[in-house]
Amino acid sequence: DSGFYVLDPVKRMMKDLVPAPYLSENFKTEDYKYLGELFGAPLILSGKALISRLDTSGYRIKVDVIVSQRSNGSVVAETSKQLDMKSGTLEWNLQSSAVGLFQDVSRELSAQLLETWQKWAVGSSIVKLTIRGDYDFSDYESVKEDISRLADVKFIRERYFFRNEAVFEIGST
C-alpha cells in the first residue's frame, strides 16, 4: 500500500546465491552490508521471533525487527511486539493469533519507513557538527540557517547545547 517492495531471498530461490559463510543466523553489521550489496537492497531488515511457553496453557511470541540503511548502517525503523496466546496448540495459535501480530509489525515498520522517507533520511549521510566558542544563541541560529540553505542539506537538528559548545546533526544526500 505504501509503495515499498520487499525482496524475499527464500521465495525467490536466491538462497543458493548466498556464499556459504553467510548462511548463518548470527550476522555482524558488515555481513548485513555485504548481503545488501549482493542483492542490491538499500534497506536491510533483520530481527527475530521467539516463542516461549507461558505455562501449561499458553505461549508467548516476541518479535523484534530492525530496518537499517545498507549504505551507512543507521537504523531507520524498529519495533518490538509481544503476544500472549492462552489456549490451544502452538500450531493453531500461530495460524490464528500470530498472523495479527506480524501484520501489526508490518504496519508499524511501514509507517516508520514512510515517515523516514518523507523526511529524506533514507539514503542520506548524517554528519555531526560541533561548534565551540563563546557564541550566543542568535549566532547558532544564524549558522543553522546558513547551513540549511546549502543544496544537499536535507535537515539540521540541534542535539546538545552546552556552555561554549553546540552540537548539530546534519543530513545530506
Side-chain angles (χ1 to χ4, degrees), residues 51-87:
I51 301 171
S52 58
R53 193 150 184 74
L54 285 175
D55 50 33
T56 58
S57 66
Y59 298 91
R60 171 175 290 152
I61 183 166
K62 185 174 188 326
V63 178
D64 297 308
V65 181
I66 295 174
V67 180
S68 56
Q69 290 187 76
R70 181 196 71 207
S71 61
N72 60 14
S74 66
V75 174
V76 292
E78 61 185 319
T79 188
S80 181
K81 299 275 186 195
Q82 179 175 298
L83 174 68
D84 291 343
M85 302 173 283
K86 296 295 180 191
S87 62

mmCIF file of all heavy atoms in Angstrom, residues 51-87:
data_model
loop_
_atom_site.group_PDB
_atom_site.id
_atom_site.type_symbol
_atom_site.label_atom_id
_atom_site.label_comp_id
_atom_site.label_asym_id
_atom_site.label_seq_id
_atom_site.Cartn_x
_atom_site.Cartn_y
_atom_site.Cartn_z
ATOM 1 N N ILE A 51 9.518 -17.846 20.498
ATOM 2 C CA ILE A 51 8.308 -18.452 21.050
ATOM 3 C C ILE A 51 8.694 -19.155 22.343
ATOM 4 O O ILE A 51 9.650 -19.937 22.372
ATOM 5 C CB ILE A 51 7.702 -19.466 20.062
ATOM 6 C CG1 ILE A 51 7.353 -18.771 18.753
ATOM 7 C CG2 ILE A 51 6.475 -20.129 20.676
ATOM 8 C CD1 ILE A 51 6.948 -19.709 17.639
ATOM 9 N N SER A 52 7.981 -18.852 23.407
ATOM 10 C CA SER A 52 8.252 -19.495 24.691
ATOM 11 C C SER A 52 6.938 -19.959 25.329
ATOM 12 O O SER A 52 5.873 -19.413 25.051
ATOM 13 C CB SER A 52 8.995 -18.539 25.628
ATOM 14 O OG SER A 52 8.253 -17.365 25.826
ATOM 15 N N ARG A 53 7.027 -20.952 26.158
ATOM 16 C CA ARG A 53 5.860 -21.493 26.838
ATOM 17 C C ARG A 53 5.597 -20.640 28.072
ATOM 18 O O ARG A 53 6.488 -20.396 28.862
ATOM 19 C CB ARG A 53 6.110 -22.940 27.223
ATOM 20 C CG ARG A 53 4.891 -23.679 27.643
ATOM 21 C CD ARG A 53 5.087 -25.159 27.272
ATOM 22 N NE ARG A 53 3.965 -25.994 27.537
ATOM 23 C CZ ARG A 53 2.848 -26.033 26.841
ATOM 24 N NH1 ARG A 53 2.714 -25.237 25.822
ATOM 25 N NH2 ARG A 53 1.878 -26.851 27.126
ATOM 26 N N LEU A 54 4.352 -20.177 28.228
ATOM 27 C CA LEU A 54 3.974 -19.393 29.404
ATOM 28 C C LEU A 54 3.795 -20.304 30.610
ATOM 29 O O LEU A 54 4.349 -20.073 31.666
ATOM 30 C CB LEU A 54 2.672 -18.635 29.148
ATOM 31 C CG LEU A 54 2.759 -17.416 28.242
ATOM 32 C CD1 LEU A 54 1.369 -16.849 27.993
ATOM 33 C CD2 LEU A 54 3.639 -16.368 28.864
ATOM 34 N N ASP A 55 2.982 -21.293 30.460
ATOM 35 C CA ASP A 55 2.726 -22.309 31.477
ATOM 36 C C ASP A 55 2.098 -23.480 30.745
ATOM 37 O O ASP A 55 2.319 -23.652 29.555
ATOM 38 C CB ASP A 55 1.831 -21.765 32.604
ATOM 39 C CG ASP A 55 0.572 -21.081 32.084
ATOM 40 O OD1 ASP A 55 0.052 -21.520 31.031
ATOM 41 O OD2 ASP A 55 0.110 -20.120 32.711
ATOM 42 N N THR A 56 1.302 -24.247 31.400
ATOM 43 C CA THR A 56 0.705 -25.407 30.724
ATOM 44 C C THR A 56 -0.404 -25.026 29.761
ATOM 45 O O THR A 56 -0.875 -25.856 29.006
ATOM 46 C CB THR A 56 0.141 -26.392 31.767
ATOM 47 O OG1 THR A 56 -0.816 -25.698 32.569
ATOM 48 C CG2 THR A 56 1.242 -26.968 32.618
ATOM 49 N N SER A 57 -0.827 -23.757 29.774
ATOM 50 C CA SER A 57 -1.981 -23.399 28.949
ATOM 51 C C SER A 57 -1.716 -22.352 27.870
ATOM 52 O O SER A 57 -2.645 -21.862 27.264
ATOM 53 C CB SER A 57 -3.115 -22.890 29.846
ATOM 54 O OG SER A 57 -2.716 -21.679 30.459
ATOM 55 N N GLY A 58 -0.478 -21.977 27.610
ATOM 56 C CA GLY A 58 -0.293 -20.950 26.600
ATOM 57 C C GLY A 58 1.142 -20.731 26.169
ATOM 58 O O GLY A 58 2.073 -21.339 26.694
ATOM 59 N N TYR A 59 1.284 -19.816 25.214
ATOM 60 C CA TYR A 59 2.579 -19.490 24.644
ATOM 61 C C TYR A 59 2.716 -17.968 24.523
ATOM 62 O O TYR A 59 1.729 -17.250 24.496
ATOM 63 C CB TYR A 59 2.713 -20.098 23.238
ATOM 64 C CG TYR A 59 2.636 -21.593 23.218
ATOM 65 C CD1 TYR A 59 1.416 -22.245 23.057
ATOM 66 C CD2 TYR A 59 3.784 -22.347 23.363
ATOM 67 C CE1 TYR A 59 1.345 -23.624 23.040
ATOM 68 C CE2 TYR A 59 3.725 -23.732 23.338
ATOM 69 C CZ TYR A 59 2.508 -24.365 23.190
ATOM 70 O OH TYR A 59 2.442 -25.720 23.178
ATOM 71 N N ARG A 60 3.953 -17.525 24.435
ATOM 72 C CA ARG A 60 4.253 -16.112 24.182
ATOM 73 C C ARG A 60 5.145 -16.039 22.955
ATOM 74 O O ARG A 60 6.112 -16.785 22.832
ATOM 75 C CB ARG A 60 4.957 -15.485 25.372
ATOM 76 C CG ARG A 60 5.491 -14.076 25.082
ATOM 77 C CD ARG A 60 6.085 -13.417 26.301
ATOM 78 N NE ARG A 60 4.979 -13.113 27.203
ATOM 79 C CZ ARG A 60 5.104 -13.032 28.527
ATOM 80 N NH1 ARG A 60 6.271 -13.227 29.091
ATOM 81 N NH2 ARG A 60 4.057 -12.741 29.271
ATOM 82 N N ILE A 61 4.805 -15.135 22.064
ATOM 83 C CA ILE A 61 5.660 -14.884 20.911
ATOM 84 C C ILE A 61 6.112 -13.429 20.987
ATOM 85 O O ILE A 61 5.314 -12.531 21.220
ATOM 86 C CB ILE A 61 4.953 -15.200 19.572
ATOM 87 C CG1 ILE A 61 5.910 -15.005 18.398
ATOM 88 C CG2 ILE A 61 3.710 -14.367 19.392
ATOM 89 C CD1 ILE A 61 5.415 -15.591 17.105
ATOM 90 N N LYS A 62 7.434 -13.235 20.867
ATOM 91 C CA LYS A 62 8.021 -11.893 20.925
ATOM 92 C C LYS A 62 8.777 -11.669 19.622
ATOM 93 O O LYS A 62 9.596 -12.492 19.226
ATOM 94 C CB LYS A 62 8.960 -11.767 22.117
ATOM 95 C CG LYS A 62 9.520 -10.372 22.304
ATOM 96 C CD LYS A 62 10.310 -10.309 23.595
ATOM 97 C CE LYS A 62 10.765 -8.958 24.013
ATOM 98 N NZ LYS A 62 11.138 -7.989 23.081
ATOM 99 N N VAL A 63 8.477 -10.555 18.962
ATOM 100 C CA VAL A 63 9.082 -10.224 17.671
ATOM 101 C C VAL A 63 9.839 -8.908 17.808
ATOM 102 O O VAL A 63 9.282 -7.905 18.257
ATOM 103 C CB VAL A 63 7.992 -10.104 16.575
ATOM 104 C CG1 VAL A 63 8.610 -9.706 15.247
ATOM 105 C CG2 VAL A 63 7.203 -11.395 16.454
ATOM 106 N N ASP A 64 11.106 -8.923 17.424
ATOM 107 C CA ASP A 64 11.946 -7.721 17.388
ATOM 108 C C ASP A 64 12.478 -7.576 15.972
ATOM 109 O O ASP A 64 13.076 -8.511 15.435
ATOM 110 C CB ASP A 64 13.129 -7.840 18.346
ATOM 111 C CG ASP A 64 12.719 -7.961 19.791
ATOM 112 O OD1 ASP A 64 11.936 -7.119 20.245
ATOM 113 O OD2 ASP A 64 13.170 -8.908 20.462
ATOM 114 N N VAL A 65 12.271 -6.402 15.371
ATOM 115 C CA VAL A 65 12.716 -6.169 13.994
ATOM 116 C C VAL A 65 13.381 -4.797 13.903
ATOM 117 O O VAL A 65 12.897 -3.823 14.486
ATOM 118 C CB VAL A 65 11.529 -6.238 12.995
ATOM 119 C CG1 VAL A 65 12.020 -6.024 11.573
ATOM 120 C CG2 VAL A 65 10.805 -7.571 13.109
ATOM 121 N N ILE A 66 14.470 -4.746 13.154
ATOM 122 C CA ILE A 66 15.191 -3.502 12.899
ATOM 123 C C ILE A 66 15.375 -3.361 11.396
ATOM 124 O O ILE A 66 15.722 -4.333 10.716
ATOM 125 C CB ILE A 66 16.569 -3.503 13.591
ATOM 126 C CG1 ILE A 66 16.403 -3.519 15.108
ATOM 127 C CG2 ILE A 66 17.404 -2.308 13.154
ATOM 128 C CD1 ILE A 66 17.714 -3.673 15.846
ATOM 129 N N VAL A 67 15.169 -2.161 10.872
ATOM 130 C CA VAL A 67 15.441 -1.865 9.469
ATOM 131 C C VAL A 67 16.560 -0.830 9.454
ATOM 132 O O VAL A 67 16.455 0.214 10.095
ATOM 133 C CB VAL A 67 14.195 -1.315 8.737
ATOM 134 C CG1 VAL A 67 14.528 -1.015 7.285
ATOM 135 C CG2 VAL A 67 13.039 -2.290 8.846
ATOM 136 N N SER A 68 17.629 -1.126 8.723
ATOM 137 C CA SER A 68 18.757 -0.201 8.662
ATOM 138 C C SER A 68 19.139 0.060 7.209
ATOM 139 O O SER A 68 18.812 -0.712 6.315
ATOM 140 C CB SER A 68 19.955 -0.756 9.438
ATOM 141 O OG SER A 68 20.308 -2.024 8.956
ATOM 142 N N GLN A 69 19.842 1.173 7.012
ATOM 143 C CA GLN A 69 20.335 1.514 5.676
ATOM 144 C C GLN A 69 21.587 0.702 5.386
ATOM 145 O O GLN A 69 22.459 0.577 6.235
ATOM 146 C CB GLN A 69 20.710 2.995 5.603
ATOM 147 C CG GLN A 69 19.529 3.921 5.644
ATOM 148 C CD GLN A 69 19.978 5.337 5.383
ATOM 149 O OE1 GLN A 69 20.263 5.688 4.247
ATOM 150 N NE2 GLN A 69 20.045 6.138 6.416
ATOM 151 N N ARG A 70 21.660 0.162 4.189
ATOM 152 C CA ARG A 70 22.850 -0.583 3.811
ATOM 153 C C ARG A 70 24.059 0.341 3.730
ATOM 154 O O ARG A 70 25.153 -0.005 4.153
ATOM 155 C CB ARG A 70 22.640 -1.268 2.463
ATOM 156 C CG ARG A 70 23.873 -2.085 2.046
ATOM 157 C CD ARG A 70 23.868 -2.447 0.601
ATOM 158 N NE ARG A 70 24.119 -1.255 -0.189
ATOM 159 C CZ ARG A 70 23.693 -1.082 -1.417
ATOM 160 N NH1 ARG A 70 22.969 -1.982 -2.002
ATOM 161 N NH2 ARG A 70 23.969 0.021 -2.068
ATOM 162 N N SER A 71 23.857 1.547 3.226
ATOM 163 C CA SER A 71 24.978 2.452 2.950
ATOM 164 C C SER A 71 25.746 2.856 4.195
ATOM 165 O O SER A 71 26.965 2.890 4.185
ATOM 166 C CB SER A 71 24.484 3.693 2.227
ATOM 167 O OG SER A 71 23.541 4.381 3.031
ATOM 168 N N ASN A 72 25.043 3.156 5.278
ATOM 169 C CA ASN A 72 25.753 3.635 6.467
ATOM 170 C C ASN A 72 25.381 2.892 7.751
ATOM 171 O O ASN A 72 25.876 3.212 8.813
ATOM 172 C CB ASN A 72 25.531 5.147 6.656
ATOM 173 C CG ASN A 72 24.074 5.495 6.830
ATOM 174 O OD1 ASN A 72 23.226 4.632 7.077
ATOM 175 N ND2 ASN A 72 23.766 6.769 6.708
ATOM 176 N N GLY A 73 24.498 1.911 7.657
ATOM 177 C CA GLY A 73 24.149 1.095 8.822
ATOM 178 C C GLY A 73 23.224 1.759 9.822
ATOM 179 O O GLY A 73 22.903 1.162 10.842
ATOM 180 N N SER A 74 22.772 2.973 9.544
ATOM 181 C CA SER A 74 21.924 3.650 10.525
ATOM 182 C C SER A 74 20.516 3.045 10.538
ATOM 183 O O SER A 74 19.970 2.680 9.496
ATOM 184 C CB SER A 74 21.864 5.155 10.253
ATOM 185 O OG SER A 74 21.218 5.394 9.034
ATOM 186 N N VAL A 75 19.953 2.948 11.736
ATOM 187 C CA VAL A 75 18.622 2.372 11.920
ATOM 188 C C VAL A 75 17.589 3.401 11.484
ATOM 189 O O VAL A 75 17.611 4.548 11.924
ATOM 190 C CB VAL A 75 18.400 1.969 13.392
ATOM 191 C CG1 VAL A 75 16.973 1.509 13.624
ATOM 192 C CG2 VAL A 75 19.380 0.877 13.794
ATOM 193 N N VAL A 76 16.662 2.984 10.599
ATOM 194 C CA VAL A 76 15.619 3.891 10.122
ATOM 195 C C VAL A 76 14.237 3.499 10.627
ATOM 196 O O VAL A 76 13.304 4.294 10.545
ATOM 197 C CB VAL A 76 15.618 4.002 8.574
ATOM 198 C CG1 VAL A 76 16.877 4.698 8.095
ATOM 199 C CG2 VAL A 76 15.455 2.658 7.914
ATOM 200 N N ALA A 77 14.103 2.272 11.153
ATOM 201 C CA ALA A 77 12.823 1.840 11.732
ATOM 202 C C ALA A 77 13.092 0.651 12.636
ATOM 203 O O ALA A 77 14.011 -0.137 12.379
ATOM 204 C CB ALA A 77 11.823 1.460 10.647
ATOM 205 N N GLU A 78 12.306 0.535 13.686
ATOM 206 C CA GLU A 78 12.432 -0.617 14.566
ATOM 207 C C GLU A 78 11.146 -0.791 15.358
ATOM 208 O O GLU A 78 10.416 0.171 15.601
ATOM 209 C CB GLU A 78 13.615 -0.480 15.513
ATOM 210 C CG GLU A 78 13.567 0.692 16.456
ATOM 211 C CD GLU A 78 14.837 0.826 17.278
ATOM 212 O OE1 GLU A 78 15.371 -0.193 17.739
ATOM 213 O OE2 GLU A 78 15.291 1.954 17.460
ATOM 214 N N THR A 79 10.871 -2.043 15.707
ATOM 215 C CA THR A 79 9.689 -2.324 16.506
ATOM 216 C C THR A 79 9.917 -3.584 17.320
ATOM 217 O O THR A 79 10.738 -4.433 16.966
ATOM 218 C CB THR A 79 8.429 -2.469 15.636
ATOM 219 O OG1 THR A 79 7.286 -2.558 16.487
ATOM 220 C CG2 THR A 79 8.483 -3.688 14.758
ATOM 221 N N SER A 80 9.186 -3.667 18.405
ATOM 222 C CA SER A 80 9.201 -4.840 19.263
ATOM 223 C C SER A 80 7.769 -5.080 19.707
ATOM 224 O O SER A 80 7.139 -4.188 20.276
ATOM 225 C CB SER A 80 10.114 -4.605 20.465
ATOM 226 O OG SER A 80 10.140 -5.754 21.280
ATOM 227 N N LYS A 81 7.251 -6.245 19.415
ATOM 228 C CA LYS A 81 5.866 -6.590 19.762
ATOM 229 C C LYS A 81 5.852 -7.938 20.463
ATOM 230 O O LYS A 81 6.714 -8.785 20.223
ATOM 231 C CB LYS A 81 4.985 -6.670 18.512
ATOM 232 C CG LYS A 81 4.878 -5.395 17.722
ATOM 233 C CD LYS A 81 3.806 -4.534 18.278
ATOM 234 C CE LYS A 81 3.622 -3.315 17.383
ATOM 235 N NZ LYS A 81 2.870 -2.292 18.026
ATOM 236 N N GLN A 82 4.830 -8.116 21.287
ATOM 237 C CA GLN A 82 4.684 -9.354 22.034
ATOM 238 C C GLN A 82 3.221 -9.751 22.081
ATOM 239 O O GLN A 82 2.338 -8.906 22.159
ATOM 240 C CB GLN A 82 5.221 -9.116 23.448
ATOM 241 C CG GLN A 82 5.121 -10.278 24.380
ATOM 242 C CD GLN A 82 5.785 -9.964 25.697
ATOM 243 O OE1 GLN A 82 6.977 -9.718 25.734
ATOM 244 N NE2 GLN A 82 5.019 -9.959 26.764
ATOM 245 N N LEU A 83 2.964 -11.060 22.042
ATOM 246 C CA LEU A 83 1.606 -11.566 22.092
ATOM 247 C C LEU A 83 1.573 -12.799 22.975
ATOM 248 O O LEU A 83 2.387 -13.713 22.797
ATOM 249 C CB LEU A 83 1.123 -11.925 20.675
ATOM 250 C CG LEU A 83 -0.242 -12.598 20.565
ATOM 251 C CD1 LEU A 83 -1.354 -11.628 20.965
ATOM 252 C CD2 LEU A 83 -0.455 -13.132 19.162
ATOM 253 N N ASP A 84 0.659 -12.796 23.938
ATOM 254 C CA ASP A 84 0.432 -13.980 24.767
ATOM 255 C C ASP A 84 -0.752 -14.736 24.200
ATOM 256 O O ASP A 84 -1.821 -14.160 23.984
ATOM 257 C CB ASP A 84 0.155 -13.584 26.221
ATOM 258 C CG ASP A 84 1.384 -13.018 26.905
ATOM 259 O OD1 ASP A 84 2.498 -13.229 26.388
ATOM 260 O OD2 ASP A 84 1.240 -12.365 27.953
ATOM 261 N N MET A 85 -0.540 -16.007 23.944
ATOM 262 C CA MET A 85 -1.588 -16.869 23.399
ATOM 263 C C MET A 85 -1.968 -17.853 24.497
ATOM 264 O O MET A 85 -1.121 -18.602 24.979
ATOM 265 C CB MET A 85 -1.072 -17.583 22.151
ATOM 266 C CG MET A 85 -0.618 -16.607 21.073
ATOM 267 S SD MET A 85 0.185 -17.379 19.644
ATOM 268 C CE MET A 85 1.812 -17.727 20.311
ATOM 269 N N LYS A 86 -3.221 -17.838 24.898
ATOM 270 C CA LYS A 86 -3.634 -18.536 26.116
ATOM 271 C C LYS A 86 -3.927 -20.019 25.974
ATOM 272 O O LYS A 86 -3.517 -20.795 26.785
ATOM 273 C CB LYS A 86 -4.855 -17.841 26.736
ATOM 274 C CG LYS A 86 -4.562 -16.431 27.189
ATOM 275 C CD LYS A 86 -3.559 -16.426 28.309
ATOM 276 C CE LYS A 86 -3.260 -15.001 28.752
ATOM 277 N NZ LYS A 86 -2.154 -14.888 29.627
ATOM 278 N N SER A 87 -4.684 -20.415 24.978
ATOM 279 C CA SER A 87 -5.076 -21.816 24.937
ATOM 280 C C SER A 87 -4.921 -22.379 23.540
ATOM 281 O O SER A 87 -4.740 -21.652 22.575
ATOM 282 C CB SER A 87 -6.531 -21.960 25.393
ATOM 283 O OG SER A 87 -7.379 -21.247 24.510
#
